[in-house]
Amino acid sequence: SIQPVYGAQHPPLDPRLTKNFIKDRSKAHALPMKSKKASSFHEFARNTSDAWDIGDDEDEDFSSSSSSLQTLNSKVAKATAAQVLENHSKLRVKPERAQAVLSDMPTNCKVIKSSSEAQLSRTSEEACVRTPLQKQQSLPLRPVIPLVARISDQNASGAPPMTVREKTRLEKFRQLLSSHNTELDELRKCSWPGVPREVRPVTWRLLSGYLPANMERRKLTLQRKREEYFGFIQQYYDSRNEEHHQDTYRQIHIDIPRTNPLIPLFQQPLIFERILFIWAIRHPASGYVQGINDLVTPFFVVFLSEYVEEDVENFDVTNLSQDVLRSIEADSFWCMSKLLDGIQDNYTFAQPGIQKKVKALEELVSRIDEQVHNHFRKYEVEYLQFAFRWMNNLLMRELPLRCTIRLWDTYQSEPEGFSHFHLYVCAAFLIKWRKEILDEEDFQGLLMLLQNLPTIHWGNEEIGLLLAEAYRLKYMFADAPNHYRR
C-alpha cells in the first residue's frame, strides 16, 4: 500500500514547527510585513508559520474556500514579493523584475500550485484561474527548466559532428556489444565517462543486468521478459479499482503529470501508471512512494531514442506501433526494477535508507569542508531540508534530464552506483556551490539557494567534472578515519 512520504519535490518538514494553514488564517490576517530578514530557521519559521501546510490531500481543491482565504493568499503572495524586492541583491533578482512582479500582481489572484504553472500563467489571459495552493508548498518554488534543457541530449541531431576520438569510442562500444560474450567489466570501464547515444539503449540493458552478456541469449530473453511483464498487467492491473489498491493508484495518477508537467510526452500517463502500479503491487514491503515516478523517465527516454531519431521532447508516442510501445514499456519496467532492487530501503516505511544517506552526507561534508558545515549549523539549516530530495530523486529534480542520463551512464558503471557512489556525487554537488553558500547569511537565503541551484544550462562537461570530483572524494574519504581532514 502507499506509504506516507514528505513528497518528491519538497524537503521534509518538522511537524513541531508547522501550523495548519486554514485554522490560522484569522491570525494570518494580522501578520505585519517582516521588517528584517530571518537569520535562522526558527526565526524564519515564526515569520512564515502559514507557508508550510500538511493538509489532508495533495490534490485537494481549495477553489470553494471563502473569500477571506483568497484575500489571505493574496496578502501572503504580496508579502513574499515584497520580501524578494527588499532582498533582491542577496536573492540575485533584478530589482526592476521584482518590482514588476509586485506591481503587476492582481489583488484577487490565488497562490498557484507550482513554478511550472507560474510560467504558464505569464502567457495566459487567465492567470488567476489556476488550481490553488498545493499541500506541501515550501518556499521558494523551483524555477521552470526549459523543455529543451530537460530532454535534449547533447549527442542528438543538430549537435556538432563527432570528433575522431568520439568515433573511436563509438566503434569500441560496437565491438564490445557485438562480440559473442560481451566483457561487462570492459563495458563498464568504457561507459564510466559516458555512453554514446547510438549505443546507450543496449548498453543500459546490459549494465542493468536486464540482458545477458551472451549475444545468442539476448533476443529470447527480451521476448520472455516482455511477455512476463504484460502477463503481470493482465494479472494485476484491473485490481487498481479494488478498495485496498485505490490509494496507491490514485497517488500514481496524481504524480505522473507532475514528473515533467510541461512536456507533451508525459501527458499520456497510461504507460507510466502501469509500470509504477505493477512495481508497487509486486513490492508490498515499500509499495509506491513519491519519487519513484521520476526514476522511470530516464529509462523511457533512452529506450524511446532507439526508435526516434529526432528529439523526443514533443514526440507523440501514439505514432509508434503497439509492438514498439510495448517493448519500451516492458524494458523501462525491468530496468527500473533492477535499479530499485539496490535502493529499496529508500522507499520502505519511514524511508530508513534516505535517513541514513542524509546523515552520511552530513558527516562527510563535515570532514570535507568544515567551514560549509559550520555555516549550516550557524543558521540552523538541516541537511534533511535539502538533501532529502537529492536522495529521494537521485538529483533528478536538481539537474536537466540530459544531465541525469549522462550521470546514470556512470552510476550503472560503478559498483553500487545509485546508492554508495551517489553519496559522493551529492557531496561534490554541494561543495560545488561553496562560494554561493558562504555568501548567504540567513536561513531563508540558504534554503532558497539550495532548493534552486542554477544548473539549467549544465551539460556533459559539468557532469564530467562533478563525477571526477565525486570519484576523488570517494578515493580520499571512503575508508578514512572520522577525524581526518584535508
Side-chain angles (χ1 to χ4, degrees), residues 22-233:
I22 299 177
K23 288 183 179 179
D24 287 351
R25 64 180 182 268
S26 59
K27 296 180 182 179
H29 276 295
L31 285 176
M33 293 281 286
K34 290 191 293 182
S35 59
K36 61 184 182 68
K37 293 187 296 184
S39 60
S40 70
F41 171 68
H42 291 296
E43 183 178 349
F44 178 73
R46 286 195 300 270
N47 289 328
T48 57
S49 61
D50 62 338
W52 291 342
D53 177 52
I54 51 172
D56 294 330
D57 223 315
E58 184 148 330
D59 66 327
E60 185 173 356
D61 187 359
F62 287 94
S63 59
S64 60
S65 300
S66 64
S67 59
S68 61
L69 179 57
Q70 296 182 23
T71 304
L72 172 61
N73 288 343
S74 175
K75 290 185 177 180
V76 172
K78 278 186 170 291
T80 303
Q83 183 66 22
V84 170
L85 178 61
E86 177 187 349
N87 301 313
H88 64 81
S89 60
K90 280 288 179 186
L91 300 177
R92 298 172 179 81
V93 177
K94 292 182 179 181
E96 58 271 21
R97 175 61 180 155
Q99 182 63 55
V101 171
L102 183 59
S103 61
D104 293 344
M105 186 174 295
T107 57
N108 62 341
C109 188
K110 300 176 185 177
V111 176
I112 58 178
K113 218 170 158 182
S114 68
S115 55
S116 300
E117 294 182 7
Q119 177 166 332
L120 288 174
S121 67
R122 288 195 294 270
T123 59
S124 171
E125 295 294 328
E126 301 176 353
C128 294
V129 193
R130 296 290 179 188
T131 305
L133 196 65
Q134 182 179 347
K135 172 186 168 186
Q136 289 174 333
Q137 181 177 353
S138 59
L139 294 178
L141 295 173
R142 180 165 173 77
V144 174
I145 298 177
L147 305 187
V148 172
R150 274 201 181 278
I151 295 294
S152 297
D153 188 283
Q154 291 185 332
N155 292 325
S157 59
M162 284 194 297
T163 64
V164 173
R165 180 175 178 274
E166 289 170 337
K167 290 180 180 178
T168 303
R169 289 192 71 240
L170 179 57
E171 184 59 31
K172 173 68 172 177
F173 271 93
R174 284 176 171 159
Q175 289 177 1
L176 282 169
L177 297 172
S178 61
S179 61
H180 181 69
N181 280 294
T182 300
E183 291 288 340
L184 293 181
D185 288 341
E186 185 65 23
L187 184 62
R188 291 187 185 97
K189 181 179 178 181
C190 291
S191 300
W192 207 100
V195 180
R197 183 178 188 267
E198 296 83 353
V199 294
R200 185 174 275 140
V202 65
T203 300
W204 275 28
R205 291 187 186 102
L206 285 163
L207 295 180
S208 295
Y210 173 44
L211 274 187
N214 184 277
M215 171 72 78
E216 295 178 355
R217 295 173 50 205
R218 291 178 193 169
K219 184 176 180 180
L220 289 175
T221 299
L222 281 177
Q223 181 180 349
R224 176 173 57 83
K225 297 298 283 186
R226 289 167 180 172
E227 290 176 355
E228 185 179 355
Y229 169 71
F230 281 97
F232 293 152
I233 296 277

Side-chain angles (χ1 to χ4, degrees), residues 20 76 121 132 152 181 233-234 306 327 358 367 412 463 474:
N20 187 282
V76 172
S121 67
S152 297
N181 280 294
I233 296 277
Q234 292 179 352
E306 198 169 18
S327 297
V358 171
R367 295 160 62 194
Q412 295 188 90
I463 294 298
K474 178 185 174 185

Side-chain angles (χ1 to χ4, degrees), residues 427-451:
F429 187 65
L430 182 62
I431 301 305
K432 160 75 178 173
W433 311 103
R434 182 180 195 277
K435 181 182 182 300
E436 290 84 351
I437 288 170
L438 296 177
D439 284 346
E440 297 292 347
E441 296 182 348
D442 64 276
F443 171 83
Q444 182 179 3
L446 279 166
L447 206 60
M448 290 185 75
L449 171 68
L450 292 166
Q451 291 186 353

Side-chain angles (χ1 to χ4, degrees), residues 197 200-202 204 297-307 405:
R197 183 178 188 267
R200 185 174 275 140
V202 65
W204 275 28
T297 307
F299 291 116
F300 187 86
V301 169
V302 167
F303 296 143
L304 178 62
S305 70
E306 198 169 18
Y307 303 94
I405 290 173

